[in-house]
Amino acid sequence: MTSSIATDVPAVPVRPRPLVVLGAVLAGIVVTLAGLSGQHLADVAAVLVTGLVVARGWPRLVRSPAPVGAGVVLALTTLALAVALLLQSGPPRLHQVPVAVAGGVVLMCLHPLVREDARARLAELLTGSSLGILVLVSGAVLVTTHPVDATVATVAGVSVSVAALVDLVLERPGTAAWMLPVEMLVGGAVGLLVHVTLGEGGEAGPVLVGLAAAAVALCLRRAISQQPALTTAPGAVAAGVASVLFVGPVVLALARMPIT
């Protein structure tokens, strides 16, 4: 009797990825500027710009079997989210967002009907597209937190931008295990600094926002750090941007707590 032993695909080396960090820093800056402006149109623009970047690179990043069609679905979902926010200028800011999400889900399900190759790998297609929609919705949640707390979006944006720079130093075979605690410390310290700089005092809430935002963003970057598409510019930048957008629900939850 003969037996065959499956060999694992060699892991991608752990190394700094400047384009991923660049995407995270730029997305953090966009979120920060939207938060500082306090303008409704700035929120819409932030969702539109970051969402289209994700739509460009995310399907290849998750190895979608039909990356072009999946990218179109995500781009149209981004436009729908922008329109939903544009139509709802006052509270509740996210009132129309479920309609945009529903439209994205419908498009995601209709996509396999026009592509035979997509139907052959249906589970992979739907999983990748649904995760992309989740990232886009999280971004919409993130940029709409400032009506709840005027500084929380700014604190989160600056914290994730600065903490992402730690990737350039510690994302190596011998030090990668220290990335999470170090970035959490950096995010918390930056969150407090931003809060004090804005003249809001020195409460514990901004520290928690910065710490949590940095941690969640890093976890997403590490979760997709082995994807082959990270070697491409669209995939790497989309990964960095997505890591920032993904912190939205956590930041909104903290913004609604009395500690902030």
Side-chain angles (χ1 to χ4, degrees):
M1 178 180 293
T2 61
S3 61
S4 59
I5 300 177
T7 58
D8 293 332
V9 177
V12 178
V14 179
R15 58 181 177 82
R17 300 183 183 277
L19 287 179
V20 176
V21 175
L22 178 63
V25 171
L26 292 179
I29 291 174
V30 169
V31 172
T32 300
L33 293 177
L36 288 174
S37 72
Q39 298 297 317
H40 181 56
L41 288 179
D43 296 340
V44 176
V47 168
L48 193 60
V49 171
T50 56
L52 291 178
V53 172
V54 171
R56 174 69 175 86
W58 184 264
R60 289 177 174 81
L61 191 64
V62 297
R63 289 184 279 188
S64 173
V68 175
V72 171
V73 170
L74 295 181
L76 292 176
T77 303
T78 297
L79 294 176
L81 286 170
V83 171
L85 293 180
L86 187 62
L87 294 177
Q88 191 73 30
S89 58
R93 298 293 299 280
L94 300 175
H95 184 68
Q96 302 293 339
V97 166
V99 179
V101 176
V105 172
V106 170
L107 289 174
M108 176 186 73
C109 295
L110 290 177
H111 177 207
L113 298 180
V114 298
R115 288 294 302 269
E116 184 177 354
D117 56 345
R119 292 195 296 273
R121 298 168 58 188
L122 184 61
E124 294 179 52
L125 175 67
L126 296 182
T127 299
S129 297
S130 60
L131 287 174
I133 292 174
L134 174 61
V135 168
L136 297 177
V137 176
S138 298
V141 170
L142 177 61
V143 300
T144 56
T145 53
H146 62 78
V148 180
D149 186 313
T151 63
V152 70
T154 303
V155 168
V158 178
S159 296
V160 293
S161 294
V162 176
L165 297 174
V166 177
D167 289 13
L168 298 175
V169 180
L170 296 183
E171 196 169 13
R172 306 175 191 278
T175 56
W178 292 96
M179 293 174 67
L180 182 59
V182 171
E183 294 200 22
M184 289 175 69
L185 289 174
V186 171
V190 172
L192 179 59
L193 179 61
V194 171
H195 198 67
V196 172
T197 301
L198 294 176
E200 299 292 337
E203 297 90 350
V207 176
L208 184 57
V209 170
L211 184 150
V216 172
L218 174 64
C219 287
L220 182 60
R221 292 197 299 272
R222 295 301 298 155
I224 57 181
S225 63
Q226 298 295 307
Q227 296 301 315
L230 280 180
T231 59
T232 66
V237 175
V241 173
S243 71
V244 174
L245 301 185
F246 199 60
V247 308
V250 174
V251 172
L252 179 61
L254 292 175
R256 293 182 179 276
M257 293 183 181
I259 59 173
T260 57

